Amino acid sequence: MKKFSKEHNVPLDLTIVNDQFLPDGTAIHKESELVGRLVETPESRKSHIDNILKYADTY
C-alpha cells in the first residue's frame, strides 16, 4: 500500500481500531473495555502511546 500510495500520489492514512486478536486466531471487535485497560494507569497509558507511535513510525 505504501508503494502504491507513492506511485499513484494517493494519500495513505493509518487508522487505529480497538480490535483484539487472540492467540487462538479469534478476534474481539470494538471492545471498549480494551481501551480502558490500555489507558487505566499512567504507566499503561505511556506504554500504549509509545506503541502507537512505534507503529505509526513504521509507515
Side-chain angles (χ1 to χ4, degrees):
M1 290 303 297
K2 187 175 180 180
K3 181 180 175 186
F4 178 89
S5 174
K6 286 185 179 184
E7 289 175 352
H8 295 85
N9 196 30
V10 176
L12 179 65
D13 296 319
L14 178 64
T15 302
I16 300 171
V17 181
N18 63 331
D19 293 349
Q20 184 178 13
F21 297 93
L22 304 176
D24 66 2
T26 59
I28 302 171
H29 300 286
K30 313 286 185 284
E31 182 192 3
S32 58
E33 290 178 8
L34 172 62
V35 176
R37 289 192 307 273
L38 291 171
V39 299
E40 186 173 16
T41 67
E43 295 82 12
S44 65
R45 188 176 311 112
K46 180 181 181 331
S47 177
H48 185 51
I49 291 168
D50 290 346
N51 284 332
I52 290 171
L53 294 174
K54 180 181 77 174
Y55 290 122
D57 192 45
T58 301
Y59 295 95

